[in-house]
């Protein structure tokens, strides 16, 4: 798949709420980066990335809404703006905005990094 194909597929799956399936686009040795100082700042390997996603999902009590923007592709990278409005199991509700940047290699996501304002994270 081309970078555009991967970008389109990821966006389509996320818009349908099929996040688990979206991880099928990741390489086995993919790396995921959160903002410095955040939990799981660097996660290596698809199995570990999936475990982190599962922990994230378990921390959410209710999802109120969210958006997945259109991908912007440049070479072997693409970026997607995303928002989510969730209430966590601790009762805190948060509106989050981020830009996700993905690097594609051999038709798979090799690296994902997520950029957001950490001051809202408490």
């Amino acid at each position: 798949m081309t970078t555009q194909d991967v970008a389109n597929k990821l966006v389509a799956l996320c818009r349908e709420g099929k996040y688990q399936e979206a991880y099928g686009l990741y390489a086995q040795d993919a790396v995921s980066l959160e903002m410095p100082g955040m939990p799981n700042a660097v996660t290596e390997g698809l199995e570990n990335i999936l475990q982190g996603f599962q922990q994230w999902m378990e921390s959410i009590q209710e999802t109120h809404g969210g958006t997945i923007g259109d991908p912007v592709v440049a070479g072997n990278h693409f970026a997607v703006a995303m928002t989510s409005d969730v209430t966590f199991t601790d009762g805190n509700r948060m509106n989050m905005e981020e830009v996700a940047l993905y690097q594609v290699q051999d038709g798979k996501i090799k690296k994902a990094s997520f950029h957001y304002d950490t001051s809202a994270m408490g």
Side-chain angles (χ1 to χ4, degrees), residues 45-93:
L46 181 56
E47 187 174 317
N48 293 326
I49 292 169
L50 286 169
Q51 286 177 352
F53 172 71
Q54 190 61 41
Q55 290 171 350
W56 168 254
M57 292 304 292
E58 289 171 0
S59 74
I60 296 173
Q61 177 179 309
E62 184 178 356
T63 300
H64 308 285
T67 61
I68 307 293
D70 293 328
V72 176
V73 176
N76 68 331
H77 288 82
F78 69 95
V80 181
M82 301 179 181
T83 66
S84 58
D85 178 6
V86 298
T87 298
F88 293 101
T89 54
D90 65 6
N92 287 327
R93 184 170 177 173

Side-chain angles (χ1 to χ4, degrees), residues 1-13 21-27 73 75-78 103-110:
M1 285 198 292
T2 67
T3 300
Q4 186 72 58
D5 293 337
V6 173
N8 292 344
K9 183 73 171 169
L10 179 83
V11 166
L13 289 169
E21 289 180 40
Y23 284 106
L25 298 169
Y26 279 59
V73 176
N76 68 331
H77 288 82
F78 69 95
Q103 178 184 344
V104 177
Q105 181 180 318
D106 301 323
K108 292 282 191 178
I109 294 171
K110 183 76 169 179

Side-chain angles (χ1 to χ4, degrees), residues 33-48:
L33 305 173
E34 294 291 336
M35 294 296 290
M38 297 305 293
N40 302 316
V42 178
T43 305
E44 297 182 4
L46 181 56
E47 187 174 317
N48 293 326

Side-chain angles (χ1 to χ4, degrees), residues 34-39 94 97 114-122:
E34 294 291 336
M35 294 296 290
M38 297 305 293
M94 188 175 299
E97 297 180 24
F114 303 94
H115 307 268
Y116 45 86
D117 181 1
T118 58
S119 67
M121 302 293 173

